[in-house]
């Protein structure tokens, strides 16, 4: 409990200057960029970042693939923000269970929700609950040592074939991790349990299946080039799937990324061998197929044995927006023993938060949360940033621009409220938060506690030639911070 005392004392001593109390929920890129922008824009602001995990950095730690270390360098910048004397990180604090949204709003002048998208879109087709069918997010959390999914243990030994549904960058990430020689992953921060399972994996054939065509594939060129460059990979793309229509041409004319992806796919199909050689890893891009149902195995009850797809054609003109996939009544089965659904992430609402369930986002105007009263009225002091604000799209840097917009809205509102300085009413801020958490006996993880975890993970990694070995259970993480 010493941490509470020290932090509260620090808060009291500076209470007069730090009159603007801000809480950011979520310590991923959207949360840290928001905190950074707020610190710069408001000298009077004291910012607390809370996260339900004991570890900070959100999808930089749990989402970015282990073989993309360059993408994780941004952690250095976020750590500098956390070390700012006006900023604090409190991990293991869950909005909705440790503390409610209305309690946060009572304690802070400004609450910014930036807790991302921790669930998945569902297909809603028969067999989705069969074992062997996972969301890509679960699989990614598993190989990234996220404490909620380190126990997933996907079965990679009883099949040689995996189907990945969707053709976005997450689909490419999971396909690459399945196909890349494990020796190349051994020096990354991939979780040791995942590395061991991949070493023993019998999967050598991955189907990346899209409901639309190669002119609509959702991935980007750099990531596509990377997977195509896997050593000794056999790539299969059917020539007739590469025949494009004038509507496709029109779509690609308006979208350079799509054009580049299409050109890369065409080139890969021309340069690939006619047949794979024995034991060669295979990547099959399959287009114009939408999943209709998952097929249950006749050998292992309750386990997936394949996917039944309906073939599609594209409807709608490129001029009126994107063409969409429509089933044409023809069906085809594809056998497999593992399915990873990579059809997009989904945000989860909390009590008291207006939420658009169809879009999976918090209704907002430039980051100002709109009340659920039906009138376009912003909620006082409540803002949103990142995937919760705009949906699960974009790269890490997209959140920088997103945070800029949200912070600009906050600054405008503050100016309107009290043009002189700060806020008329005082709010307890950090002091109120920590008191509530102490009353509820919640073990708060401070940034200095995270640094203990960080050091230990680096130490464990150095023993086996890895940059870090993540502690991947709640118990390990929380016990280490108690020391
Ligand atoms: P995404 O890019 O939106 O891709 C989703 C895929 O799922 C699309 O192929 C989509 O097809 C398909 N899909 C959606 N609903 C479907 C359904 N009902 N049936 C069949 N297919 C369906 O999403 P993501 O791959 O999860 O990536 C999220 C964001 O993170 C993206 O902006 C991505 O670029 C970014 N990201 C970047 C990197 C990187 O830079 N290295 C790595 C990972 C993720 P349609 O197009 O037909 O809807």
């Amino acid at each position: 409990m010493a941490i509470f005392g020290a932090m509260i004392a620090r808060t009291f001593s500076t209470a007069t200057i730090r009159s603007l109390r801000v809480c950011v929920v979520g310590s991923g890129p959207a949360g840290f960029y928001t905190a950074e922008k707020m610190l710069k824009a408001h000298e009077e602001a004291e910012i607390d970042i809370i996260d339900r995990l004991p570890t900070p950095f959100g999808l930089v730690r749990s989402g970015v693939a282990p073989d993309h270390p360059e993408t994780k360098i941004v952690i250095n910048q976020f750590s500098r923000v956390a070390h700012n004397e006006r900023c604090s990180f409190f991990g293991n604090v869950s909005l909705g269970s440790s503390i409610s949204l209305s309690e946060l709003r009572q304690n802070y002048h400004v609450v910014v929700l930036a807790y991302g998208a921790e669930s998945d879109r569902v297909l809603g087709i028969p067999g989705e609950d069969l074992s062997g069918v996972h969301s890509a997010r679960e699989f990614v959390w598993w190989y990234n040592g996220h404490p909620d999914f380190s126990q997933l243990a996907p079965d990679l030994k009883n099949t040689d074939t995996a189907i990945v549904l969707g053709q976005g960058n997450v689909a490419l990430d999971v396909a690459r991790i399945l196909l890349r020689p494990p020796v190349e992953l051994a020096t990354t921060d991939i979780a040791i349990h995942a590395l061991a399972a991949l070493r023993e994996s019998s999967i050598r054939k991955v189907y990346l299946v899209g409901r639309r065509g190669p002119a609509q594939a959702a991935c980007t060129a750099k990531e596509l080039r990377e997977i195509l460059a896997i050593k000794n990979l056999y790539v299969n793309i059917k020539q007739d799937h590469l025949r494009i229509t004038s509507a496709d041409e029109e779509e690609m004319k308006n979208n350079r990324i799509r054009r580049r992806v299409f050109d890369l796919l065409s080139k890969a199909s021309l340069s690939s061998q006619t047949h794979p050689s024995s034991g060669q890893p295979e990547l099959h891009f399959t287009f114009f197929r939408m999943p209709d149902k998952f097929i249950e195995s006749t050998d292992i009850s309750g386990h997936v044995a394949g996917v039944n797809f309906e073939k599609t054609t594209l409807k709608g003109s490129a001029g009126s927006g994107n063409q969409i996939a429509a089933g044409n009544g023809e069906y085809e089965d594809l056998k497999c023993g593992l399915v990873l659904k990579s059809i997009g992430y989904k945000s989860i609402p909390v009590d008291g938060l207006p939420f658009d369930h169809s879009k999976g986002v918090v209704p907002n105007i430039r980051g100002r949360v709109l009340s659920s009263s039906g009138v376009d009225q912003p909620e006082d002091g409540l803002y949103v940033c990142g995937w919760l604000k705009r949906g699960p799209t974009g790269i890490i840097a997209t959140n920088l621009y997103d945070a800029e917009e949200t912070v600009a809205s906050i600054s405008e509102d503050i100016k309107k409220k009290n043009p002189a300085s700060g806020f008329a009413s005082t709010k307890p801020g950090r002091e109120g938060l920590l008191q509530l958490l102490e009353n509820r006996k919640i073990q708060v993880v401070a940034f200095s506690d995270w640094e203990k975890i960080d050091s230990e993970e680096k130490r464990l990694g150095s023993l086996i030639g890895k940059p870090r070995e993540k502690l991947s259970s709640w118990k390990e993480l929380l016990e280490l911070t108690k020391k």
Side-chain angles (χ1 to χ4, degrees):
M1 295 299 132
I3 181 179
F4 294 124
M7 281 179 179
I8 288 169
R10 202 174 87 175
T11 306
F12 271 136
S13 67
T14 50
T16 44
I17 13 174
R18 295 181 192 170
S19 53
L20 177 62
R21 304 299 168 89
V22 181
C23 184
V24 176
V25 182
S27 67
F32 265 108
Y33 282 133
T34 301
E36 186 177 38
K37 302 275 159 210
M38 277 303 291
L39 287 168
K40 275 199 189 129
H42 295 275
E43 278 183 5
E44 77 286 16
E46 178 179 81
I47 300 172
D48 296 335
I49 306 175
I50 65 170
D51 200 294
R52 79 174 183 89
L53 288 183
T55 53
F57 311 133
L59 68 75
V60 183
R61 179 174 163 97
S62 304
V64 172
D67 53 350
H68 285 172
E70 67 290 347
T71 312
K72 303 185 195 203
I73 290 172
V74 73
I75 281 180
N76 297 336
Q77 183 183 343
F78 295 161
S79 299
R80 282 195 294 278
V81 174
H83 279 129
N84 185 302
E85 56 149 12
R86 289 185 286 127
C87 185
S88 289
F89 167 80
F90 301 118
N92 195 35
V93 178
S94 178
L95 175 64
S97 57
S98 312
I99 189 152
S100 70
L101 181 58
S102 68
E103 286 168 335
L104 277 187
R105 295 180 71 184
Q106 280 157 26
N107 279 283
Y108 290 91
H109 295 107
V110 171
V111 173
V112 185
L113 302 174
Y115 61 76
E118 291 209 310
S119 184
D120 315 292
R121 284 190 196 134
V122 290
L123 289 161
I125 59 172
E128 206 159 355
D129 292 336
L130 289 172
S131 66
V133 178
H134 307 282
S135 74
R137 178 186 58 87
E138 292 167 352
F139 189 72
V140 168
W141 281 12
W142 168 71
Y143 65 58
N144 275 336
H146 187 295
D148 286 350
F149 277 91
S150 49
Q151 305 298 318
L152 183 73
D155 188 351
L156 310 182
K157 280 210 278 198
N158 282 318
T159 179
D160 68 353
T161 306
I163 291 178
V164 179
L165 300 174
Q167 295 179 327
N169 281 333
V170 172
L172 260 56
D173 276 349
V174 297
R176 191 179 69 253
I177 294 295
L178 283 171
L179 288 170
R180 226 181 146 161
V183 66
E184 293 179 12
L185 296 170
T187 50
T188 72
D189 68 0
I190 191 168
I192 195 91
H193 54 251
L195 184 61
L198 288 163
R199 277 190 170 128
E200 294 194 349
S201 168
S202 52
I203 293 175
R204 53 169 196 86
K205 216 187 281 187
V206 175
Y207 287 84
L208 269 168
V209 185
R211 60 182 170 177
R212 298 194 286 160
Q216 289 82 25
C219 57
T220 47
K222 181 170 166 272
E223 286 63 32
L224 180 57
R225 247 183 247 115
E226 186 183 14
I227 197 166
L228 292 172
I230 289 178
K231 222 181 273 166
N232 187 34
L233 184 70
Y234 167 78
V235 178
N236 179 34
I237 306 168
K238 287 199 176 97
Q239 282 299 321
D240 61 335
H241 285 174
L242 289 163
R243 255 178 248 131
I244 50 169
T245 64
S246 53
D248 292 334
E249 276 293 358
E250 184 69 22
E251 265 190 47
M252 289 193 285
K253 212 164 75 187
N254 300 323
N255 189 327
R256 271 179 39 231
I257 300 173
R258 291 258 168 97
R259 162 60 71 188
R260 262 191 245 144
V261 166
F262 177 78
D263 289 347
L264 277 170
L265 289 167
S266 306
K267 209 170 131 201
S269 98
L270 290 175
S271 56
S272 73
Q273 314 148 229
T274 43
H275 297 290
S277 52
S278 154
Q280 190 177 11
E282 299 173 27
L283 176 62
H284 299 257
F285 286 89
T286 305
F287 298 98
F288 304 110
R289 301 285 186 275
M290 70 185 180
D292 184 59
K293 59 172 176 277
F294 296 98
I295 304 161
E296 184 174 351
S297 162
T298 46
D299 300 332
I300 315 167
S301 166
H303 195 78
V304 73
V307 183
N308 175 252
F309 290 98
E310 183 173 7
K311 297 184 184 176
T312 66
T313 46
L314 299 188
K315 293 264 160 71
S317 76
S320 61
N322 284 340
Q323 303 177 81
I324 57 160
N328 68 7
E330 284 177 47
Y331 294 83
E332 180 184 79
D333 287 350
L334 208 51
K335 285 186 187 154
C336 69
L338 177 77
V339 178
L340 300 176
K341 296 178 293 167
S342 185
I343 60 165
Y345 287 39
K346 205 176 85 182
S347 293
I348 305 170
V350 290
D351 269 357
L353 178 65
F355 198 75
D356 180 335
H357 288 271
S358 63
K359 293 188 185 138
V361 296
V362 172
N364 71 91
I365 295 182
R366 299 177 66 80
R368 294 180 180 95
V369 174
L370 295 177
S371 100
S372 37
S373 62
V375 200
D376 275 358
Q377 179 67 35
E379 290 273 337
D380 188 34
L382 187 60
Y383 301 85
V384 67
C385 189
W387 281 7
L388 189 59
K389 172 186 176 186
R390 61 173 201 276
T393 58
I395 57 172
I396 286 172
T398 316
N399 295 294
L400 176 68
Y401 305 109
D402 205 351
E404 255 165 27
E405 184 184 75
T406 295
V407 171
S409 296
I410 297 171
S411 300
E412 279 169 28
D413 294 350
I414 288 173
K415 221 170 172 180
K416 270 189 233 150
K417 252 188 194 150
N418 187 348
S421 70
F423 272 76
S425 69
T426 55
K427 295 247 185 185
R430 184 174 304 165
E431 180 200 335
L433 171 77
L434 292 178
Q435 192 59 63
L436 267 172
L437 297 173
E438 187 176 19
N439 295 348
R440 288 170 195 168
K441 307 215 175 330
I442 308 248
Q443 184 193 334
V444 176
V445 176
F447 202 74
S448 53
D449 295 325
W450 148 249
E451 287 174 324
K452 286 189 215 160
I453 297 174
D454 188 38
S455 302
E456 176 62 3
E457 290 185 344
K458 285 178 176 157
R459 190 189 69 79
L460 292 172
S462 72
L463 303 176
I464 46 174
K466 295 172 85 213
R468 79 169 60 236
E469 185 53 52
K470 287 180 195 154
L471 300 182
S472 60
S473 77
W474 282 90
K475 192 166 174 276
E476 282 174 309
L477 288 162
L478 290 176
E479 270 179 7
L480 191 93
T481 62
K482 269 190 209 153
K483 283 181 191 163

